[in-house]
Amino acid sequence: MTSQKYFEEAWKNRKLVGGALKAAHVRPDYHLYEDLLQEGVILYAEMLRKLDGQKTRTEIDKLSFKKLLWHIIDTLRREQRVCERNTAIDKAYDLGEATAWDNLVALKNEAKKLSHLEQVILFEHLLEKKTITQLVEECGVPRITLKRLKKQLLGKLRAVMEQ
């Protein structure tokens, strides 16, 4: 358990945590800024405790900064995934709207007209989230061809949705 001494030291040098937040491009107006700052101070205090007597303060600060930066980036990625999941769920609720059903019918009709590779890109890459690299291996088609077809497909689908 980290003692109060290390927390006080970490709090006095919280600019290190602020620097890590800044390096991760987290602005003070971000809604999780204070949480990230507090977690950073706790993590910094733990680093001070673990490395006390083993390394100089400068070395501890350098290691702590790197650890804080990676922790912040991981937290931001986790938050992004949660937001993306919630957005997908929110959009699913919108399927009940008449325009959404019209778009769905138009897309279904358009999917029948697509070539085999375009269908693979639509269903396996865009809907099932397979990577282009996986499709290259499965289909035996060059990566550049799949990317070009994907761009053309998205253009077709956008045109259908705008009609």
mmCIF file of all heavy atoms in Angstrom, residues 90-101 104:
data_model
loop_
_atom_site.group_PDB
_atom_site.id
_atom_site.type_symbol
_atom_site.label_atom_id
_atom_site.label_comp_id
_atom_site.label_asym_id
_atom_site.label_seq_id
_atom_site.Cartn_x
_atom_site.Cartn_y
_atom_site.Cartn_z
ATOM 1 N N ASP A 90 -27.017 2.885 -30.077
ATOM 2 C CA ASP A 90 -27.940 3.997 -30.291
ATOM 3 C C ASP A 90 -28.445 4.030 -31.724
ATOM 4 O O ASP A 90 -29.614 4.292 -31.984
ATOM 5 C CB ASP A 90 -27.272 5.338 -29.954
ATOM 6 C CG ASP A 90 -26.995 5.481 -28.467
ATOM 7 O OD1 ASP A 90 -27.607 4.716 -27.674
ATOM 8 O OD2 ASP A 90 -26.176 6.341 -28.100
ATOM 9 N N LYS A 91 -27.550 3.750 -32.674
ATOM 10 C CA LYS A 91 -27.961 3.749 -34.077
ATOM 11 C C LYS A 91 -28.913 2.585 -34.360
ATOM 12 O O LYS A 91 -29.780 2.689 -35.213
ATOM 13 C CB LYS A 91 -26.742 3.666 -34.987
ATOM 14 C CG LYS A 91 -25.977 4.964 -35.058
ATOM 15 C CD LYS A 91 -24.820 4.851 -36.013
ATOM 16 C CE LYS A 91 -24.051 6.162 -36.050
ATOM 17 N NZ LYS A 91 -22.895 6.071 -36.944
ATOM 18 N N ALA A 92 -28.757 1.475 -33.657
ATOM 19 C CA ALA A 92 -29.641 0.332 -33.853
ATOM 20 C C ALA A 92 -31.072 0.693 -33.468
ATOM 21 O O ALA A 92 -32.027 0.224 -34.086
ATOM 22 C CB ALA A 92 -29.162 -0.864 -33.044
ATOM 23 N N TYR A 93 -31.230 1.536 -32.460
ATOM 24 C CA TYR A 93 -32.561 1.966 -32.071
ATOM 25 C C TYR A 93 -33.228 2.799 -33.164
ATOM 26 O O TYR A 93 -34.439 2.846 -33.279
ATOM 27 C CB TYR A 93 -32.529 2.777 -30.775
ATOM 28 C CG TYR A 93 -32.221 1.942 -29.558
ATOM 29 C CD1 TYR A 93 -31.173 2.264 -28.720
ATOM 30 C CD2 TYR A 93 -32.982 0.823 -29.247
ATOM 31 C CE1 TYR A 93 -30.880 1.489 -27.591
ATOM 32 C CE2 TYR A 93 -32.706 0.044 -28.136
ATOM 33 C CZ TYR A 93 -31.658 0.387 -27.314
ATOM 34 O OH TYR A 93 -31.370 -0.374 -26.218
ATOM 35 N N ASP A 94 -32.423 3.468 -33.970
ATOM 36 C CA ASP A 94 -32.962 4.310 -35.035
ATOM 37 C C ASP A 94 -33.518 3.505 -36.206
ATOM 38 O O ASP A 94 -34.130 4.067 -37.096
ATOM 39 C CB ASP A 94 -31.888 5.267 -35.554
ATOM 40 C CG ASP A 94 -31.471 6.278 -34.495
ATOM 41 O OD1 ASP A 94 -32.262 6.483 -33.549
ATOM 42 O OD2 ASP A 94 -30.379 6.849 -34.617
ATOM 43 N N LEU A 95 -33.305 2.184 -36.225
ATOM 44 C CA LEU A 95 -33.807 1.366 -37.334
ATOM 45 C C LEU A 95 -35.327 1.372 -37.406
ATOM 46 O O LEU A 95 -35.893 1.053 -38.433
ATOM 47 C CB LEU A 95 -33.303 -0.069 -37.212
ATOM 48 C CG LEU A 95 -31.858 -0.308 -37.606
ATOM 49 C CD1 LEU A 95 -31.491 -1.761 -37.374
ATOM 50 C CD2 LEU A 95 -31.624 0.064 -39.056
ATOM 51 N N GLY A 96 -35.980 1.720 -36.334
ATOM 52 C CA GLY A 96 -37.430 1.753 -36.326
ATOM 53 C C GLY A 96 -38.008 2.902 -37.118
ATOM 54 O O GLY A 96 -39.181 2.905 -37.465
ATOM 55 N N GLU A 97 -37.211 3.889 -37.454
ATOM 56 C CA GLU A 97 -37.696 5.029 -38.218
ATOM 57 C C GLU A 97 -37.942 4.626 -39.669
ATOM 58 O O GLU A 97 -37.249 3.780 -40.221
ATOM 59 C CB GLU A 97 -36.677 6.167 -38.154
ATOM 60 C CG GLU A 97 -36.480 6.705 -36.748
ATOM 61 C CD GLU A 97 -35.447 7.814 -36.709
ATOM 62 O OE1 GLU A 97 -35.116 8.367 -37.766
ATOM 63 O OE2 GLU A 97 -34.976 8.108 -35.611
ATOM 64 N N ALA A 98 -38.914 5.274 -40.301
ATOM 65 C CA ALA A 98 -39.293 4.938 -41.669
ATOM 66 C C ALA A 98 -38.137 5.162 -42.651
ATOM 67 O O ALA A 98 -37.912 4.345 -43.549
ATOM 68 C CB ALA A 98 -40.504 5.762 -42.096
ATOM 69 N N THR A 99 -37.403 6.262 -42.485
ATOM 70 C CA THR A 99 -36.293 6.532 -43.401
ATOM 71 C C THR A 99 -35.216 5.460 -43.271
ATOM 72 O O THR A 99 -34.596 5.085 -44.266
ATOM 73 C CB THR A 99 -35.678 7.919 -43.133
ATOM 74 O OG1 THR A 99 -35.299 7.988 -41.760
ATOM 75 C CG2 THR A 99 -36.647 9.025 -43.454
ATOM 76 N N ALA A 100 -35.000 4.979 -42.054
ATOM 77 C CA ALA A 100 -33.999 3.930 -41.855
ATOM 78 C C ALA A 100 -34.439 2.655 -42.579
ATOM 79 O O ALA A 100 -33.613 1.968 -43.184
ATOM 80 C CB ALA A 100 -33.785 3.663 -40.370
ATOM 81 N N TRP A 101 -35.730 2.342 -42.516
ATOM 82 C CA TRP A 101 -36.218 1.149 -43.216
ATOM 83 C C TRP A 101 -36.097 1.320 -44.721
ATOM 84 O O TRP A 101 -35.745 0.389 -45.439
ATOM 85 C CB TRP A 101 -37.676 0.854 -42.835
ATOM 86 C CG TRP A 101 -37.783 0.195 -41.502
ATOM 87 C CD1 TRP A 101 -38.211 0.749 -40.344
ATOM 88 C CD2 TRP A 101 -37.409 -1.145 -41.184
ATOM 89 N NE1 TRP A 101 -38.142 -0.148 -39.314
ATOM 90 C CE2 TRP A 101 -37.646 -1.334 -39.797
ATOM 91 C CE3 TRP A 101 -36.893 -2.200 -41.904
ATOM 92 C CZ2 TRP A 101 -37.391 -2.529 -39.149
ATOM 93 C CZ3 TRP A 101 -36.642 -3.404 -41.253
ATOM 94 C CH2 TRP A 101 -36.891 -3.548 -39.896
ATOM 95 N N LEU A 104 -32.558 0.755 -45.587
ATOM 96 C CA LEU A 104 -32.236 -0.664 -45.467
ATOM 97 C C LEU A 104 -32.713 -1.438 -46.693
ATOM 98 O O LEU A 104 -31.980 -2.275 -47.226
ATOM 99 C CB LEU A 104 -32.863 -1.226 -44.191
ATOM 100 C CG LEU A 104 -32.403 -2.591 -43.736
ATOM 101 C CD1 LEU A 104 -30.907 -2.600 -43.485
ATOM 102 C CD2 LEU A 104 -33.145 -3.007 -42.482
#
